[in-house]
Structure formats: C-alpha cells, structure tokens
Amino acid sequence: MQAGTMDLVTLVVFGSWLAPALGSAFGREVFASAENADKDYDSAFEYDYESLRIGGLVFAVVLFVLGIVLIVTKKCSCSSDKPRPKDPDVETAVPIAQ
Amino acid sequence: MGYGRSDSYRVATTQDKDKSPKKKKGGKDMDELKKEVPITEHKMSIEEVCRKFQTDCVQGLTNAKAAEYLIRDGPNALTPPPTTPEWVKFCRQLFGGFSVLLWTGAILCFLAYAIQAATEDDPAGDNLYLGIVLTAVVVITGCFSYFQEAKSSKIMESFKNMVPQQALVIREGEKVQINAEEVVGGDLVEVKGGDRIPADIRVVSAHGCKVDNSSLTGESEPQSRSPDNTHDNPLETRNVAFFSTNCVEGTARGIVICTGDRTVMGRIATLTSGLETGKTPIAKEIEHFIHIITGVAVFLGVTFFILAIVLGYSWLEAVIFLIGIIVANVPEGLLATVTVCLTLTAKRMAKKNCLVKNLEAVETLGSTSTICSDKTGTLTQNRMTVAHMWFDNQIHEADTTEDQSGASFDKSSVTWLSLARVAGLCNRAQFKAGQDALPILKRDVAGDASESALLKCIELCCGSVRANRDRNKKVAEIPFNSTNKYQLSIHETEDTNDNRYLLVMKGAPERILDCCSTIMVQGKEQPMDEELKESFQNAYMELGGLGERVLGFCHTMLAEDQYPKGFAFDTDDVNFQTDQLCFIGLMSMIDPPRAAVPDAVGKCRSAGIKVIMVTGDHPITAKAIAKGVGIISEGNETVEDIAARLNIPVSQVNPRDAKACVIHGTDLKDLSQDQMDDILRNHTEIVFARTSPQQKLIIVEGCQRLGAIVAVTGDGVNDSPALKKADIGVAMGISGSDVSKQAADMILLDDNFASIVTGVEEGRLIFDNLKKSIAYTLTSNIPEITPFLLFICANIPLPLGTITILCIDLGTDMVPAISLAYETAESDIMKRQPRNPFRDKLVNERLISIAYGQIGMIQAVAGFFAYFVILAENGFLPSRLVGIRLNWDDRSVNDLEDSYGQQWTYEQRKIVEFTCHTAFFVSIVVVQWADVIICKTRRNSVFQQGMRNKILIFGLFEETALAAFLSYCPGMDVALRMYPLKPSWWFCAFPYSFLIFVYDEVRKLLLRRNPGGWVERETYY
C-alpha cells in the first residue's frame, strides 16, 4: 500500500515538471530575456523556475519523509526480521551462562 | 607505541626470566624498588623475620617505629597506573591516524590561500573555506570519538571498588583497627575469615586459615595457610599470604613483609602498567591506506604540476594547482564514516556483552589468529561440582550443566541413599541464610569448595540437607586435616527407637579404604575382596585421570552395647572405632566447563583460530578440561599419550606425531626461544599448565613473534601483563579483577568465552564492510578531481567547484557509506581463515584500481556529459569551450560569444557555470546510487545478496532528497551557488549509472565463474 502511494506521488511530481520541461528548449534567468523587448523571439528562453523550485522541493520533502518512514517501519520489520538469521547464534552463545 | 621499545623490553624479560617479575621504566624510584630482593622471608624463622623488621611477634611494632616505617616506605597502596590526562586523550583523537591526512590537507589549503592572497588582488575563497571545513571535520570527528571512548571509560570507573580497606594490627601489644594504607612492614596483622589481606604477610600463627588467591592466580580454590615453610617458591609456600587476596575462613597472625608496590600484587601491577603495546591492526591498516592515498595524491599532483608548467602557467599558479589536486584527493568524509562504522559495531558488540574500551579494538578480534585463554572462570564455571560417582561397582555420571539440563543417573539404589546421607552429614558446608528463593546452584555457601559441591549435589538430588542434619543430630566430629586426610562425624539416628550411633566418614579414597572391611553393593554389605578392591582402584584411577578430585565415603552403625546412648565421644583422644567400617562409594568433583564453551571453541577452530589454554592449574585437570571443551580435540594425543599407548619412553616419540601438547610451567622456564617457537608452530593444540604471570607474557610474545595476532582472556591480576601485551586483551566483567580490566581492551560483561566468538564475527564483518565503505567513498574522488584537471589542461570553465565537492563528501555520500556497515556477510565469515595481516590489507591496489580506475572513470564521464549537455543547451558547444577559460573567468569581458553568437555577461556566464556545478553534483549522486549497490558485495551478485539493508535504502532516499533540496531550495543560489536544474538534466547520468551496475555485475560474475582467475587476481579487493 505504501509503495502504491509512493508511485503515485512520484508520478504526480514528475508529471508536473515534465510538462514545462518538455515545452522549453533552453533558457536562463528571466532578466536575460527581459533586456530584449521582443517577446515573440524570447518566449523559448523563458522558463517557469518558480514552479520548478516548488516541484523540486516537494520531491525532496517526499523523498525525505519516505526515507524516515522506511527507518521507522524498519524497527517493526526488523524485530521480526533480524532475529531469524541471528537466532541460532544467540541461543547457543549467550543465554545459557549468565 | 614504538617497536624499538618493545624490543628492548623483550631483552629484559629473558634476562630476569628466572627472577621475580620485574620491569624497568617509570621513575628512578621505581627502578630502586624493583631491584630489591624478592621475598625470602618465608625461608626464615619467625625470630629472624622479627629481627629483620625490629618487631615483636606478640607485641607488634611500637607506634614510633610504625610511624618511622610509614615515612620511610610510604603508604601501603598501589601506585595507580599513570593515567593519561584528558587533554592528551583528546589530542590523540584529534591528531591520531586518519586525522593526519585531513590536517595536512587543511594546512595545504591555508597555504594555497595565503599564496593566492599574497599574489592576487581578489583571491577566490575556495581554499580558505575548504581549509576551514577540513579543520571542522577533524575537530568534530575527534570530539565524537573522544566522547565515545569517555563513555566506555565511565563504565570502567563503575567497576572500581571504592570501599576503604581496614586492617587489624597489633602495636605495642594492643589491637588497633587502622586504615590498610597505614600498614607498614613489620606490623603484626591479624586476619580472619572474610577479610582482605592488607599486605604481603609471613604467617606466624594460624587456626584453620584458608585464603583465596584467585585475585592473584585466578584459581579460586582456597588454600590453607600455616606458619611452616612448604615450598622454596614464595608463591607456592603455605606461610605467606598475599596482598589483596581474601581470607576465606579461620584466623591467622602474620608479620607484614612487603607493602604497597613491593608486594607481589604491586609488582605485577607495575609490570603491567610499564608494558608498551603495539598499534592495533586497524590502525596499521589505516596507516597503509594513508600511504596509498598520499601516494596517489602526490603522483597526480606532481604530474599535473609538471603539465601546468609545460602548458605555460606561472610557478605560483602551478603550485596552487598542485595543492588543489593533492587536497582534492583527501576523502573528507571517510574519517567520519570509519569512526561511525566502528562505533556502530562497538554498540552492537556491547549489546552482545562485549564492552570495547578502545574503538580500534573493535576490529582486532576479527583479525585474531590465536586466542590464549585462561581456564578458571572463562572456560569453566568456576565452581566445584560433583561430576562422577562410583558405587555399586559402577561409575555414574552426575549432571554438571549450569541449568541442570543434563542426564541424570539411577537414584533408586539403596547404596546411593547411604552415600547421599554420608555426604550430607559428614559435611560442614551450609547455605547462607535468606536464599530460599534462589535456585540451589545459585545459592551462596559457607564452606570449602568440595564440601559446597557435595552440599549442592545432595540438596539437588535428595532435598533439604539441613532437615536431614536436624534429624540426625551431630554428637561428635573430627574435622579434616592434612595428617588424617579424612573427616569424621558421629550422629544420632533419625529412628527414635534405634539407640545406636551412626559414624560417617569421608576423605582421601585410599585412606578411607584402609579403614574399611566391608563394602556396600546394591544396599547390602559384602566383605571387601580383592576383586572389589581392584575395581575400586580402577575407578579411582579413571576419575583421577579425568582431572577430578576424588573423595571416598564410608559409614558404620556403632554397636549399642559398646557405645550406649550418651556415650562421651572424645575426638582428641579417639575412644571409638575408626576401622572395620563399611565402604560406600566415591564421589569426584571438578570445575566443569561452561556449556557454551565447546561450541565456541569449535567455532573458533573452524574460523581458523588457534585456541591455547594457559592456566595456573595442574596439568591433569587442565588437560581434562581442554579435552572437555575441545581445545584438545578428540583423537589427538600428546607425546605422553603416544608413549603410554605404544608403551615406549617419552623420549622415543617423535614430537611431530603429536598434535596436542601439555606443557608444565617449570618446563617452560627452561625452554629456549627456538624451542618455544617450535612448540607454538608445530602443535595445533596446546595447553600450558602451572604458568606464572611472566610466563603468560612469554607465551603471548612467542605467538606474536610468529606473526599471530593474539587475543588473551583472563580475569586475575596474574593475567594482566599478558592482557596488556596481547593485541587484544579480554577481561572478565564479573569475576575479573580491577587491574585486569584496566589492562584489557575489551571486557566480556557475562564472563562467557562464547561472547568472544560474537566479537570475532563482528570484527570480521566490520573489516569487510569498511572495505566496502572505503571503496564507495573513494570512487567519487575521481569525478571530483577530473573537472579540476580538465580545467587546467583544456582550459574549460570549471565543471565542479569546491563547495559542491564538499556537498558530496560530507553530505550525500555520508549516509550510504555508513549504511554499508549494516551489510550482512556475503558468506559464512566464521568458516574462513583469519586474515593475514601482511597480505590481506584493508585497502589494496585492487580496491584503488576498481574505485579510481574503473568505476570512478565512468562516473567522471557521466558528470562531464551533464556538464556539456547544459552548456550546449545554453549555446556553448564543447568545441567552443576548449581554451575559453581566461575570457570566461575575466570580469571585464561582458560580451563573450557562444557558438551561436549570443553574447554573455560575466554574471550570466557564472550562473550557467554554477548550474553546471549543480548538474555535475547531481550526476555524481545518480552514479553513486549504482556505486553503493555494487559496493554492497565484493563477490556475490546483488541479486544473491538482496536489498534487505534498510539503512542503505534510506541512504539512497536521503542523498537524493538532499541533492534535490540543495538544487531547488530558494536562497541556495546565494548561499552555496547552487541553481535549480531542469528535470531532464537529472537523467543525463542515468545511462552511466546503469552502465556501472552492469559493468560490475559482469566483473563479479567472471570473478565467481573463474575462481583464482585473472579477474579475481586483478580486481578482487
């Protein structure tokens, strides 16, 4: 279920960027084009950096949160996961002599 | 830490091998003290001793004399080992090992900045920032490891026993209680059961006095003390009791002959603190690593320095480049990574009851090739236990396991009931009060070890001994003494109608047999015939051969007509029959091995670790225990065994035929160094018995001479010199003495030898994982250096800046590198041989070749691809870029034309350049995804290893999140000069990431397919 949400989120995030990204060929800071008054020629050089920043930040935050969630859930799955391979060791080695 | 010093020490040991444990070093006063003759007072008569100290063996010293001696000799306390001041410890963390590399880098940075500041008007701040960051990294990591170690030393503090000791001395004929520190030589001291002996004393009178020398010898068996000299060796003689040992029972008076550091205990402690130890294996590895890295850095630096000169740069510029390249080779994050990895392992080990005092010692156990283990308390349970019984003409085995899970024997025989009755009644040991809630085996017992063993055994099998004793009231008793060699008591019977008395007796079997005329078999008395006598002899020999202490038991009902009710038994002038008794059986006792030990020894053996037993105990017992725990494995014989089997003299046996050997301490003394080496080399299973503290040291040194990495386990003060000298000393947390804990590098909190196996496993795992971490961290060095190299050679705009490099090394790479410490082992690490410290290095040329030469190169290409794509998208085709540098970086050029003729101002150009830095940075993050996945394994495929390492996945997420954050967060363009990237630029490095993964999977596949083939020889790190 978690993986499902993750996929959805990444899809949305990527989708929201890919559209403007594909739309423009290249471009730099806004003032680079502002100096040339002719808007028709410059439209190709304009790029929506504002939404790119927001999209990027959302992406970063989502990844960060996912990472944290992974660590937190690790504890649960770990307690059922880790003892399995380590059980034989622990049992033979430690508890008998206290 | 110099080897020269330890060599000079070695000479010293051989010289005073036959004398008392001595050590030079320390102040001149110390030398003076140690030249003093060893103890001879035990050979003197009491009068002589009194004369020597001008004391009186009844009145004691006069107060004036005592005060005079106190001033002359100083207080009776051990000089604490010179403690390193905290700031020295801190500096050691700051400037030790890996930090040197970073410090050098930082200094070079400042140097380069100084040159720039002196020559340029507006110097770039990069070198200054880098220098500051490097310094900060070292300082922070230094603080971190300092606090880590301070934490474990705090645990050490808690072990210290702070209770001030008191001593009862007789001065001017009066008993006075004084502080043990004020005791002086010549003082007449009185000790009683439960006291700690305040100094080395020559016993002048004793009443049933027994001392527990375990703090000195490790053997907890109480020894009796009497005024007579029984042995030339002061350590063996009965009339000397030693400082800091315990008086278990009885009372004794003695004259103090040595105090403070001059006591036997003090000598050992001084010897220990005087020993210098070598570097830990991991420290050596890190040193080797630094050599390699410095080599590569200097080589690159000098090459490009020459190239820069050839290309026409000025000298100063070339020097700046040289420094820049050298510094770029410093893996900034690695110090922190290694420290964190070691700390994590130390934590994990502490959870498994191995407390590591020194971070570097974490790995040492993994490299260990020889373990010298003490016997008592480490391999054994350190409690006497009834192991065997012989009755009804048959040997029965008792349960010796700690949790009573072992097999039991037939308890239905009437003979057994009689035996149990005798063992319970003729026994002075009793449980201390208030322990009814505890399991029987855990209860404390007042009494001697053998009697306690019997008491517990009977209590377990037949119920309350006390109730039995109450029902059979004791009328008379002759306690055990060394002349009789038996103990006897007379009881009323529990049957009130029966007015006869019951006489029970136990003692040395042959002595008991002499008193008997009949023997009980299946509950019936039979006359003792030759056949039964022989069967008794065989059983006695067999049990004795197992290293067990054997006791015989007999009883009789005294005839009512001779001994009517109320008969006055006189135990001093024996007025009753002590012969014509009825023999019942034998019981034998041993300190049994701990349950987990045989398994642990087996694991050590399959891990290629040689386990040597070094004990102060007798050879037969030592050998029996060694066989029991598998140190001498089944079917392996000693020279003596072979001689006995073939019925030939020992001298005719070829020593090479015997894999096992048992060596007595006295023989060890006469061995030359070559003979010693020969023994250690040619025998795989060795037991040293009756060894002195110094001999333990010689054994450890012998092993180290042969190139072994030696772990020593021990608990007594006698073990501490060896613990200190060993590559890793392992002390016991529960039974261990303070001195041994101070000397050790690691403490087993549960005293269990099996915990060592966990330590070995963790140590080996961390060594493998550190390799992986380092391989991962080093790889990104190449994509970080090459931009600068191309910047110099091809005169292109700088593709990657210092700030972005730091973001990788100290930012995105950190979590994945650390997460590799959580990797599970690829194969059974306990099935392979210990690593050879000369061949299996932490970092070798192959690792460098993979990291720098192969994966690193692909990564660099990926970065440059992104760089060229962005510049091309902005109008600068690669062909235009070559040679553009001077104009590009010139502030006054504000009309630089790109390939399409567009003009760029300086500010605009810089924005594109820093966007390229960001893209290069992101590309490195993307290729490092693949890198961390391939670094998970060194031989196996990732598909075999799986992706179960959650921390690693977390690392992947976090590094990507961090990269996105750095690129997109508003304000970053001002703070770190990082600019937002178009999503398409993220994907530039993807094909390369995939390529790295496929490349390495193929390499590993070839490596697995052709073991020992070219691929393995050249690329397996």
Side-chain angles (χ1 to χ4, degrees):
Chain A
M1 178 205 129
Q2 198 189 19
T5 19
M6 188 190 80
D7 283 347
L8 205 74
V9 171
T10 26
L11 209 81
V12 170
V13 170
F14 266 99
S16 62
W17 292 343
L18 281 176
L22 293 173
S24 69
F26 31 62
R28 285 267 25 115
E29 284 283 306
V30 187
F31 67 88
S33 54
E35 277 172 16
N36 301 334
D38 196 344
K39 287 218 165 178
D40 287 330
Y41 292 104
D42 283 354
S43 60
F45 293 91
E46 269 174 25
Y47 192 82
D48 184 4
Y49 279 96
E50 211 45 47
S51 49
L52 178 63
R53 272 189 197 280
I54 292 168
L57 279 178
V58 168
F59 177 62
V61 169
V62 166
L63 275 183
F64 183 76
V65 170
L66 275 179
I68 299 292
V69 166
L70 204 91
I71 286 290
V72 175
T73 52
K74 179 194 158 270
K75 282 215 173 116
C76 319
S77 61
C78 162
S79 51
S80 63
D81 223 329
K82 260 194 184 167
R84 237 181 284 147
K86 298 215 167 136
D87 237 3
D89 278 357
V90 175
E91 241 167 52
T92 51
V94 189
I96 303 166
Q98 286 161 0
Chain B
M1 300 237 162
Y3 288 102
R5 273 201 260 172
S6 60
D7 276 336
S8 65
Y9 161 68
R10 199 164 285 149
V11 176
T13 28
T14 28
Q15 275 169 357
D16 45 42
K17 200 198 298 199
D18 299 320
K19 294 194 181 168
S20 74
K22 278 191 189 177
K23 219 21 289 284
K24 50 332 64 112
K25 267 183 211 121
K28 283 148 225 147
D29 289 321
M30 288 282 211
D31 285 342
E32 282 287 315
L33 287 177
K34 283 187 212 115
K35 271 176 202 144
E36 220 165 280
V37 271
I39 298 167
T40 50
E41 281 85 352
H42 62 288
K43 288 188 221 165
M44 300 181 186
S45 70
I46 295 168
E47 289 72 33
E48 279 173 314
V49 177
C50 286
R51 221 172 301 135
K52 185 179 169 192
F53 288 96
Q54 299 178 8
T55 183
D56 186 281
C57 65
V58 181
Q59 298 284 309
L61 282 176
T62 60
N63 280 324
K65 263 270 179 275
E68 185 194 321
Y69 285 157
L70 186 63
I71 292 164
R72 189 191 67 187
D73 298 337
N76 172 37
L78 296 184
T79 333
T83 46
T84 7
E86 290 301 305
W87 67 272
V88 172
K89 279 192 205 161
F90 184 63
C91 287
R92 218 177 267 163
Q93 295 295 344
L94 268 191
F95 301 106
F98 214 62
S99 322
V100 178
L101 196 63
L102 296 199
W103 280 118
T104 321
I107 290 166
L108 285 177
C109 280
F110 291 130
L111 187 70
Y113 182 73
I115 295 175
Q116 281 174 315
T119 55
E120 295 168 27
D121 299 332
D122 183 22
D126 283 11
N127 276 319
L128 182 63
Y129 303 146
L130 188 56
I132 293 171
V133 169
L134 284 176
T135 316
V137 168
V138 199
V139 172
I140 292 171
T141 331
C143 293
F144 179 77
S145 38
Y146 171 74
F147 284 116
Q148 276 303 323
E149 296 205 349
K151 225 191 270 171
S152 51
S153 53
K154 230 178 245 164
I155 303 177
M156 286 300 303
E157 300 278 312
S158 66
F159 285 128
K160 280 189 188 154
N161 185 6
M162 303 306 277
V163 186
Q165 294 291 323
Q166 295 283 312
L168 189 65
V169 297
I170 298 160
R171 286 184 184 166
E172 294 180 356
E174 276 177 50
K175 286 187 185 178
V176 272
Q177 188 90 19
I178 60 168
N179 224 324
E181 284 195 0
E182 290 160 23
V183 172
V184 295
D187 256 332
L188 192 57
V189 181
E190 202 171 277
V191 287
K192 58 179 190 309
D195 285 355
R196 208 162 101 140
I197 303 202
D200 283 2
I201 60 174
R202 160 74 160 87
V203 177
V204 293
S205 67
H207 296 283
C209 175
K210 283 194 172 178
V211 292
D212 175 1
N213 276 354
S214 62
S215 64
L216 198 62
T217 61
E219 305 302 324
S220 59
E221 182 61 15
Q223 297 165 357
S224 60
R225 283 294 174 259
S226 60
D228 319 305
N229 177 22
T230 54
H231 206 286
D232 273 355
N233 182 347
L235 287 171
E236 304 267 348
T237 184
R238 286 253 172 92
N239 59 358
V240 180
F242 297 103
F243 174 53
S244 98
T245 59
N246 283 309
C247 179
V248 188
E249 60 180 58
T251 56
R253 267 187 189 199
I255 295 171
V256 173
I257 51 177
C258 295
T259 56
D261 287 327
R262 277 141 297 165
T263 57
V264 171
M265 183 74 89
R267 285 217 172 92
I268 296 174
T270 326
L271 171 66
T272 308
S273 57
L275 281 176
E276 290 287 335
T277 47
K279 283 184 182 151
T280 57
I282 196 80
K284 285 184 200 158
E285 291 303 321
I286 286 178
E287 201 168 82
H288 178 248
F289 170 52
I290 292 177
H291 286 162
I292 290 189
I293 280 283
T294 322
V296 172
V298 170
F299 169 76
L300 275 179
V302 171
T303 314
F304 281 85
F305 176 75
I306 295 168
L307 206 66
I309 297 284
V310 172
L311 287 172
Y313 287 97
S314 73
W315 275 96
L316 274 179
E317 275 179 309
V319 169
I320 305 266
F321 290 156
L322 170 74
I323 293 175
I325 292 170
I326 292 178
V327 173
N329 268 291
V330 176
E332 289 91 350
L334 203 49
L335 172 64
T337 308
V338 171
T339 313
V340 172
C341 288
L342 290 178
T343 311
L344 287 173
T345 310
K347 284 244 164 82
R348 206 149 47 188
M349 283 164 85
K351 241 183 238 168
K352 293 177 185 169
N353 292 321
C354 299
L355 181 73
V356 182
K357 277 172 63 186
N358 169 1
L359 262 196
E360 286 178 350
V362 164
E363 190 274 331
T364 314
L365 259 188
S367 327
T368 298
S369 51
T370 306
I371 297 177
C372 293
S373 178
D374 187 34
K375 179 182 77 75
T376 316
T378 316
L379 299 174
T380 64
Q381 302 169 15
N382 199 10
R383 58 177 184 94
M384 272 289 167
T385 307
V386 175
H388 291 98
M389 291 168 226
W390 178 79
F391 58 82
D392 290 347
N393 211 350
Q394 207 180 345
I395 291 180
H396 301 265
E397 205 167 313
D399 183 7
T400 55
T401 54
E402 285 140 291
D403 53 357
Q404 291 298 303
S405 55
S408 192
F409 54 94
D410 175 28
K411 288 176 188 156
S412 57
S413 164
V414 183
T415 321
W416 159 243
L417 292 177
S418 308
L419 185 60
R421 185 172 64 175
V422 179
L425 292 179
C426 186
N427 189 334
R428 286 156 55 114
Q430 54 188 344
F431 291 110
K432 289 183 183 162
Q435 301 186 86
D436 293 339
L438 287 172
I440 292 165
L441 287 175
K442 293 235 169 70
R443 290 184 204 166
D444 270 342
V445 179
D448 118 298
S450 313
E451 295 207 324
S452 313
L454 292 174
L455 176 69
K456 285 183 178 174
C457 174
I458 305 302
E459 184 94 6
L460 270 177
C461 300
C462 312
S464 174
V465 172
R466 175 185 293 221
N468 193 25
R469 284 184 192 161
D470 288 344
R471 271 181 272 128
N472 301 273
K473 274 225 177 66
K474 195 187 284 178
V475 190
E477 178 177 44
I478 303 177
F480 185 87
N481 68 48
S482 44
T483 29
N484 292 351
K485 291 196 168 159
Y486 67 74
Q487 176 181 349
L488 176 157
S489 59
I490 298 168
H491 300 260
E492 291 170 2
T493 54
E494 50 188 277
D495 185 355
T496 40
N497 299 326
D498 192 347
N499 282 332
R500 290 179 302 171
Y501 285 105
L502 171 69
L503 184 148
V504 290
M505 182 162 155
K506 79 157 191 268
E510 65 278 3
R511 192 75 186 78
I512 297 295
L513 192 72
D514 288 345
C515 304
C516 296
S517 57
T518 58
I519 181 167
M520 187 182 274
V521 177
Q522 303 294 356
K524 289 189 199 77
E525 269 190 64
Q526 291 182 5
M528 179 77 82
D529 55 18
E530 283 309 309
E531 198 181 327
L532 281 165
K533 264 190 182 163
E534 193 173 325
S535 143
F536 158 86
Q537 278 301 339
N538 288 340
Y540 183 26
M541 293 299 285
E542 189 177 336
L543 297 177
L546 293 172
E548 296 176 5
R549 179 183 309 163
V550 191
L551 288 176
F553 296 85
C554 64
H555 73 178
T556 197
M557 296 301 267
L558 296 174
E560 198 181 353
D561 48 344
Q562 279 183 43
Y563 309 100
K565 195 143 180 83
F567 182 85
F569 293 99
D570 185 348
T571 52
D572 293 325
D573 184 16
V574 177
N575 61 352
F576 46 88
Q577 81 172 90
T578 55
D579 51 4
Q580 305 291 311
L581 309 176
C582 171
F583 192 86
I584 306 172
L586 299 170
M587 283 174 112
S588 68
M589 280 143 289
I590 197 163
D591 178 12
R594 284 167 179 270
V597 169
D599 199 38
V601 171
K603 276 187 181 168
C604 284
R605 181 148 299 152
S606 66
I609 300 170
K610 190 161 153 182
V611 184
I612 296 177
M613 183 198 272
V614 183
T615 174
D617 210 340
H618 292 276
I620 300 174
T621 320
K623 189 175 162 190
I625 294 292
K627 282 195 165 161
V629 300
I631 286 177
I632 294 180
S633 48
E634 223 163 289
N636 275 352
E637 300 175 299
T638 63
V639 175
E640 291 77 17
D641 288 336
I642 296 178
R645 177 165 54 87
L646 301 175
N647 216 355
I648 51 173
V650 172
S651 54
Q652 282 179 21
V653 181
N654 178 4
R656 293 284 159 91
D657 293 343
K659 276 195 175 152
C661 70
V662 179
I663 293 161
H664 198 280
T666 48
D667 301 335
L668 187 63
K669 208 158 61 176
D670 304 329
L671 290 179
S672 71
Q673 208 174 70
D674 289 340
Q675 285 171 309
M676 180 77 183
D677 288 356
D678 213 44
I679 289 172
L680 291 173
R681 205 178 292 127
N682 294 326
H683 295 279
T684 49
E685 303 173 343
I686 310 173
V687 172
F688 291 98
R690 300 302 286 169
T691 47
S692 70
Q694 218 178 2
Q695 289 171 333
K696 293 191 179 185
L697 195 60
I698 291 169
I699 293 165
V700 172
E701 285 183 327
C703 295
Q704 286 177 332
R705 204 165 41 233
L706 295 179
I709 292 181
V710 187
V712 170
T713 70
D715 49 1
V717 172
N718 60 333
D719 299 317
S720 46
L723 287 173
K724 185 85 180 281
K725 186 72 204 167
D727 293 283
I728 180 164
V730 183
M732 299 298 136
I734 303 169
S735 62
S737 52
D738 290 349
V739 184
S740 71
K741 282 177 197 161
Q742 291 291 347
D745 304 294
M746 197 171 142
I747 293 162
L748 296 185
L749 295 175
D750 59 353
D751 283 19
N752 190 345
F753 183 81
S755 304
I756 290 182
V757 177
T758 335
V760 172
E761 215 171 336
E762 292 290 348
R764 289 185 173 191
L765 186 61
I766 196 61
F767 189 79
D768 283 4
N769 286 347
L770 273 183
K771 271 188 177 188
K772 296 173 184 175
S773 271
I774 291 174
Y776 171 78
T777 317
L778 287 187
T779 311
S780 63
N781 252 3
I782 287 297
E784 286 163 9
I785 300 170
T786 41
F788 192 55
L789 300 183
L790 243 74
F791 168 74
I792 298 172
C793 302
N795 276 319
I796 55 172
L798 188 63
L800 186 67
T802 314
I803 292 171
T804 28
I805 290 179
L806 288 177
C807 286
I808 297 166
D809 283 350
L810 299 176
T812 57
D813 268 4
M814 287 299 273
V815 184
I818 292 168
S819 74
L820 285 171
Y822 287 95
E823 267 314 301
T824 47
E826 284 174 64
S827 54
D828 194 344
I829 37 177
M830 293 306 280
K831 289 264 153 62
R832 59 180 200 218
Q833 293 294 304
R835 82 184 169 91
N836 180 331
F838 303 106
R839 260 189 296 110
D840 308 332
K841 290 290 183 187
L842 180 66
V843 173
N844 49 27
E845 313 76 52
R846 294 184 295 279
L847 189 148
I848 296 289
S849 140
I850 288 275
Y852 278 9
Q854 298 162 47
I855 311 298
M857 288 302 172
I858 303 178
Q859 296 196 336
V861 174
F864 276 106
F865 180 64
Y867 167 81
F868 284 120
V869 164
I870 292 177
L871 280 170
E873 281 193 16
N874 278 290
F876 291 93
L877 294 180
S879 54
R880 176 73 184 90
L881 289 172
V882 178
I884 208 177
R885 184 175 76 90
L886 278 183
N887 285 329
W888 183 279
D889 285 339
D890 191 340
R891 278 176 193 280
S892 60
V893 179
N894 278 313
D895 54 354
L896 191 68
E897 286 190 6
D898 63 17
S899 307
Y900 300 92
Q902 305 176 99
Q903 291 189 337
W904 293 76
T905 64
Y906 178 77
E907 246 340 284
Q908 287 169 337
R909 292 197 304 269
K910 281 293 155 185
I911 289 173
V912 178
E913 185 187 321
F914 286 118
T915 311
C916 289
H917 290 188
T918 316
F920 208 115
F921 159 71
V922 164
S923 301
I924 293 180
V925 170
V926 171
V927 284
Q928 285 287 69
W929 291 344
D931 194 27
V932 74
I933 290 170
I934 63 166
C935 283
K936 274 167 68 75
T937 55
R938 295 189 299 140
R939 178 184 290 274
N940 286 354
S941 159
V942 175
F943 301 105
Q944 289 168 303
Q945 180 82 350
M947 288 292 282
R948 276 184 300 257
N949 187 347
K950 290 267 172 86
I951 307 282
L952 191 137
I953 299 171
F954 168 77
L956 285 175
F957 275 70
E958 294 312 279
E959 71 170 328
T960 318
L962 183 61
F965 174 79
L966 287 175
S967 169
Y968 296 114
C969 183
M972 278 299 165
D973 44 355
V974 184
L976 297 176
R977 303 234 69 174
M978 300 257 247
Y979 287 87
L981 294 183
K982 291 184 191 170
S984 58
W985 294 340
W986 279 75
F987 295 96
C988 296
F990 273 57
Y992 296 93
S993 207
F994 185 66
L995 174 67
I996 289 173
F997 180 75
V998 173
Y999 176 84
D1000 208 64
E1001 276 298 314
V1002 171
R1003 179 183 71 86
K1004 281 185 249 182
L1005 180 72
L1006 291 175
L1007 195 149
R1008 288 194 302 273
R1009 281 285 162 83
N1010 308 305
W1014 182 85
V1015 182
E1016 175 159 3
R1017 270 181 284 121
E1018 295 301 323
T1019 71
Y1020 183 65
Y1021 58 87

